[in-house]
Amino acid sequence: MSQEHGQPTESRPETPVLPLGITPRRFGRSPGLKFFVIGFLALLLLIPLMFVSSLRGERSATANLAAREIGDAWGREQIVGGPALLVPYLVPPKTANAAPTREVAIFLPDDLQASSEAQTEIRRRSIFDVPVYRSKVALTARFLPPDFKAITSEEVQPLWSEAVLAVGVADVRGLKNRATAQIRDGAAIEFEPTLGAGIRDGNGIHATLRGIDLTRPLIVEAGLDLNGSRSLSIVPLAKNSALRMSSNWQHPSFSGAHLPDDRVVDANGFSASWRVSHLARNLPLAFTHDKRADVTFLAGGVGARFYQPVDLYQLVDRAIKYGILFVGAVFLAVFGLELVARDNLHAVQYTLVGFALVLFYVLLLSLAEHLGFLTAYLTAAAATTALIALYIGLVLRSFARGAVLGLILATGYGLVYALLKSEDFALLAGAIGAFVALTALMLGTARVNWSGLGDGVAKSVTSDAGAPKSPA
């Protein structure tokens, strides 16, 4: 307390003096500082985006579980390998007191003609659709007389009475009705479970060849009624294999060790054919079973996956990967409108805009499971665009600026959808789009005073120059 002219006066804390008339309020409104705050908020939104991505993964896992459950009851992805000729034989003992060793020789056909016709249908579990099929597989194989010298140089004793014809099947639960093989110029023989010839490993069926003269060429015709889901493949085991496949499914994805030589895909379905030589398989035509028969019979198949053209979970995942870039671009657009309007938006308002952008992906995921990806994308994008445009229009007290932001959002969502559908050119289009956006930002803000100090400095200098000097 001090007294002047008898009146007490209070001492007040001195206001910090900033150079050239710069006030703390003006420094707080620095566009440069605001720019980095907005960037920090955009990075924080990575956290809810990660939760949305985790939610997408859970829904995708649920869809795969539904597909597996349907496959367990109907039939899983099917691979047919064979037929092959399995002949047990005895190897002479190395010593006088030892017993002969029993082995199984596997002889692959010299020629194989295989065809399959699959009729597909959609099975539904909860809200998930899974394509399944009923197929008829026809196999015609020609075998040369078994030559054990191609396997071993020892004198072995073939057990012709135990010889079997084996066909590998990936999921034997999909086999329907009886399966028989017709010996050319002979009787029909019926298939039984397992690969036979004492082989316990591997999935498949076998037919005994007891009474069949195997010292002459053997021609066998076999037919299978097979249920499965998602994909169907046939293994070209022969020296020369000719395979054909047809189906009413309009969206095949040809897969396997070899692509088809000829294929036709139209509104009625697809048909494809392969010709494969054993030289392309790196597998001998005769060898001894070494407990890898399942791998031998079922590896290297060719066929088609009954591909669903819109894998919504994959598309949603790709959309989420563009999320942080999209959020950053929208924040920059709002920041630009804020500069033009000479207004000052709060960080909370940017955060609310960010939450609306994140909620778009939740809407997209939930709606896509019921409406399809395109309808869900249009609905979620329209709702998000309308909400943010209306909100910014109210905040900036200008519905014209809100409409401008809505146009920017609509264009952005359109570009993202184009990137999602263009797998081959997504990287190129994304890189060009990012470069154009950065160019527009740099040129549009070339004259922005990012420090926010120039106006205060100029105003202070002008006021100091025009004010009358006080007497010393």
Side-chain angles (χ1 to χ4, degrees):
M1 300 288 290
S2 61
Q3 292 183 353
E4 184 177 353
H5 302 293
Q7 297 295 330
T9 60
E10 294 182 358
S11 60
R12 298 178 180 179
E14 297 182 356
T15 301
V17 178
L18 295 176
L20 297 177
I22 302 171
T23 64
R25 183 180 181 187
R26 178 164 293 281
F27 182 76
R29 290 185 177 182
S30 165
L33 179 61
K34 191 69 168 288
F35 179 84
F36 286 108
V37 171
I38 293 172
F40 180 70
L41 290 176
L43 290 177
L44 284 181
L45 288 175
L46 279 174
I47 298 175
L49 281 175
M50 291 173 59
F51 282 108
V52 176
S53 180
S54 176
L55 177 62
R56 182 217 63 85
E58 292 178 3
R59 299 302 296 172
S60 179
T62 303
N64 290 332
L65 178 61
R68 285 197 299 269
E69 290 176 352
I70 291 177
D72 289 340
W74 180 266
R76 294 182 179 178
E77 300 181 3
Q78 293 289 12
I79 306 174
V80 177
L85 191 61
L86 276 59
V87 182
Y89 64 95
L90 298 178
V91 180
K94 303 297 182 181
T95 59
N97 296 328
T101 304
R102 187 179 185 277
E103 301 286 351
V104 177
I106 299 177
F107 298 94
L108 302 182
D110 192 63
D111 290 291
L112 172 65
Q113 294 182 357
S115 64
S116 66
E117 181 178 353
Q119 294 296 318
T120 60
E121 55 187 88
I122 297 296
R123 290 299 172 102
R124 190 174 183 87
R125 175 65 58 91
S126 183
I127 62 173
F128 306 106
D129 295 333
V130 180
V132 299
Y133 59 83
R134 306 172 189 264
S135 66
K136 292 185 177 295
V137 180
L139 305 169
T140 301
R142 176 178 177 273
F143 292 91
L144 297 179
D147 184 7
F148 286 88
K149 293 183 180 180
I151 298 176
T152 177
S153 58
E154 297 180 297
E155 292 294 332
V156 299
Q157 179 183 351
L159 303 176
W160 300 112
S161 61
E162 298 182 22
V164 299
L165 186 73
V167 177
V169 179
D171 187 5
V172 293
R173 292 173 300 178
L175 288 169
K176 303 299 177 183
N177 305 322
R178 298 171 56 187
T180 59
Q182 179 68 43
I183 306 298
R184 187 72 60 84
D185 300 330
I189 52 179
E190 188 169 346
F191 282 101
E192 299 176 6
T194 76
L195 291 176
I199 297 177
R200 300 301 180 186
D201 57 313
N203 296 328
I205 54 178
H206 75 279
T208 58
L209 297 176
R210 189 177 297 109
I212 304 298
D213 185 6
L214 297 180
T215 60
R216 300 171 53 190
L218 178 68
I219 299 178
V220 180
E221 297 177 356
L224 306 177
D225 292 332
L226 191 62
N227 287 356
S229 59
R230 291 194 172 186
S231 70
L232 174 62
S233 300
I234 300 176
V235 183
L237 285 177
K239 183 176 182 180
N240 295 293
S241 300
L243 314 177
R244 291 190 304 107
M245 184 175 294
S246 62
S247 173
N248 62 339
W249 190 254
Q250 302 174 5
H251 310 284
S253 176
F254 297 106
S255 59
H258 306 274
L259 293 178
D261 298 316
D262 299 292
R263 61 181 179 178
V264 175
V265 181
D266 53 29
N268 297 322
F270 75 89
S271 61
S273 62
W274 294 258
R275 296 195 67 87
V276 182
S277 169
H278 77 295
L279 298 176
R281 282 185 40 81
N282 194 29
L283 183 68
L285 296 176
F287 52 94
T288 300
H289 172 256
D290 56 358
K291 299 182 180 181
R292 291 187 296 109
D294 55 334
V295 177
T296 301
F297 288 164
L298 301 182
V302 299
R305 177 172 294 275
F306 299 95
Y307 174 74
Q308 292 178 288
V310 179
D311 187 346
L312 63 93
Y313 297 105
Q314 183 180 6
L315 291 176
V316 172
D317 181 58
R318 292 178 59 192
I320 293 174
K321 291 178 180 178
Y322 292 110
I324 187 60
L325 295 177
F326 192 79
V327 170
V330 173
F331 275 11
L332 287 177
V334 175
F335 182 54
L337 293 175
E338 177 186 351
L339 291 178
V340 172
R342 297 184 180 276
D343 207 334
N344 188 27
L345 298 184
H346 196 273
V348 173
Q349 294 168 316
Y350 278 95
T351 303
L352 292 176
V353 172
F355 283 157
L357 293 173
V358 173
L359 187 59
F360 160 79
Y361 298 101
V362 181
L363 287 173
L364 175 62
L365 176 60
S366 58
L367 292 175
E369 292 183 336
H370 299 275
L371 304 178
F373 184 80
L374 176 58
T375 304
Y377 190 92
L378 293 176
T379 304
T384 305
T385 299
L387 173 62
I388 296 177
L390 177 61
Y391 179 70
I392 293 300
L394 292 173
V395 170
L396 296 179
R397 295 178 294 278
S398 172
F399 287 103
R401 294 188 177 95
V404 171
L405 182 60
L407 179 61
I408 294 175
L409 278 169
T411 303
Y413 280 124
L415 291 176
V416 171
Y417 184 80
L419 292 176
L420 295 178
K421 301 301 290 184
S422 177
E423 297 183 3
D424 295 334
F425 299 98
L427 179 60
L428 177 61
I432 294 175
F435 182 80
V436 171
L438 180 60
T439 301
L441 176 64
M442 294 176 66
L443 296 180
T445 59
R447 295 185 177 274
V448 172
N449 183 11
W450 292 105
S451 65
L453 306 180
D455 294 339
V457 172
K459 191 176 297 184
S460 176
V461 172
T462 303
S463 61
D464 289 346
K469 293 183 179 180
S470 60

